[in-house]
Amino acid sequence: MLHSPRLTSLALTIALVLGAPLARAAEPVKPTPVPATTVSAPAKAPLPLDELRTFAEVMDRIKAAYVEPVDDKTLLENAIKGMLSNLDPHSAYLGPEDFQELQESTSGEFGGLGIEVGMEDGFVKVVSPIDDTPASRAGIEAGDLIVKINGQPTRGQTMTEAVDKMRGKIGEKITLTLVRDGGTPFDVTLARAVIQVKSVKSQLLEDGYGYIRITQFQVKTGEEVGKALAKLRKDNGKKLRGLVLDLRNNPGGVLQSAVEVADHFLTKGLIVYTKGRIANSELRFSADPADASEGVPMVALINGGSASASEIVAGALQDQKRGVLMGTDSFGKGSVQTVLPLNNDRALKLTTALYYTPNGRSIQAQGIVPDIEVRQAKLTAEVDNDNFKEADLQGHLGNGNGGAERPSGSAKRKERPQDNDFQLSQALSLLKGLSITHSK
């Protein structure tokens, strides 16, 4: 499978999450199957015999009168799906494929080729091969068009269909037909391998100012954020002056990972707590004294695509006054789903609790309001007409302080993320202002 969603160039599994109906809830991880009978319910009510008789009668009528034959298994599975779909938008019955994809989504590992893709003119286009994967080792390059998969044309297929064909069993071979720079199509045969999707990206925006982007909360996201903070400090050569944490368009993920991420920035106090009906649904998570972020000033970016686990982190930072929230209102998904494995590789994804920020706020159907509202806008660089400076004049005086001269053209620099991202540029400007005032 590709390292790409069906909507953007993230992981495929994220796109599945986003489509149901937007964001998956923060989910406790269950490493081993747990029978549904282990979940204790309140006092059992007597079976509704009249309704069960009606159900049986409806099933018999469908089997007898529907225009095409329908088997019992199909009818019963559809009944189960209907039972869960009418509870809330995030509870669902997961068949074997859906259950496997959910596990891949939270683990960040799947069998695939290692390609980030997009769509162009009806074809699948390679955005970037991922380092040390079958795609990169086979010489696939950014910009290549995938015109066929195992001999079947991709034109006319949806992204979902194309991606499903490229994912599959580890070790199994697949042939892609590529077109590079408008040239003659050529075939590349690859064997699928385990692809690890990193949910955290980081870099220095400028000297002293770091940037961490979290695309989804997977099992290892907390660990990845810790490594990103350490690398930013190392690359900067000293303690950072400011940090931007980007949670925009992050659909959520694993509850424990959200707690671990928030704990990297907090040294005390509550992070989040949950309330539900079953015994193990009432949980409280508090920060430990360690501070991987070294207390640097920070801005967290959120928007309408920030949901669930993202809102847990944002809410904790806001309530604890650890950083400034900037952007637009978050999605407003304040419920927790527990995955309850069933037999035959199936599972229930059931809403079992609501979560609350440290100050006791439920953000369900309301979202988190940022401290500073900044809507996204298109940045257009103006042409600098002041092209001639003192340092360009022949025979100009030198700088008496020993500073380097700056003639016209000396300030040219390569493009940076903040140059085309208005919200990010505003976050960086705020951090610079905070740095100046704090240093006085």
Side-chain angles (χ1 to χ4, degrees), residues 354-371:
L354 295 176
Y355 73 77
Y356 298 83
T357 70
N359 288 349
R361 292 184 292 163
S362 169
I363 56 87
Q364 174 62 24
Q366 291 184 348
I368 290 177
V369 179
D371 301 310

Side-chain angles (χ1 to χ4, degrees), residues 349-390:
K349 182 158 71 86
L350 194 66
T351 300
T352 55
L354 295 176
Y355 73 77
Y356 298 83
T357 70
N359 288 349
R361 292 184 292 163
S362 169
I363 56 87
Q364 174 62 24
Q366 291 184 348
I368 290 177
V369 179
D371 301 310
I372 302 175
E373 182 181 31
V374 176
R375 297 190 173 276
Q376 191 62 285
K378 186 175 181 179
L379 286 173
T380 303
E382 292 187 0
V383 177
D384 185 5
N385 293 319
D386 186 16
N387 293 325
F388 202 73
K389 298 182 179 181
E390 171 73 13

Side-chain angles (χ1 to χ4, degrees), residues 2-16:
L2 304 119
H3 175 187
S4 161
R6 300 161 178 177
L7 305 178
T8 61
S9 58
L10 299 175
L12 166 69
T13 48
I14 300 178
L16 296 176

Side-chain angles (χ1 to χ4, degrees), residues 299-322:
V299 174
L301 291 173
I302 60 172
N303 65 5
S306 305
S308 196
S310 299
E311 294 170 297
I312 287 175
V313 174
L317 296 176
Q318 189 177 54
D319 283 4
Q320 298 281 19
K321 301 189 184 303
R322 173 60 184 87

Side-chain angles (χ1 to χ4, degrees), residues 7-8 10 44 62 92-93 124 148 202 228 230 232 236-237 247 257 283 298 306 358 360 366 391 394 397 399 412:
L7 305 178
T8 61
L10 299 175
K44 288 186 178 180
I62 294 173
Y93 172 72
V124 179
K148 290 183 182 180
S202 64
L232 286 173
N236 192 53
L247 300 173
S257 292
L283 305 170
M298 65 181 295
S306 305
Q366 291 184 348
Q394 186 175 0
L397 296 175
N399 185 282
K412 290 182 180 179

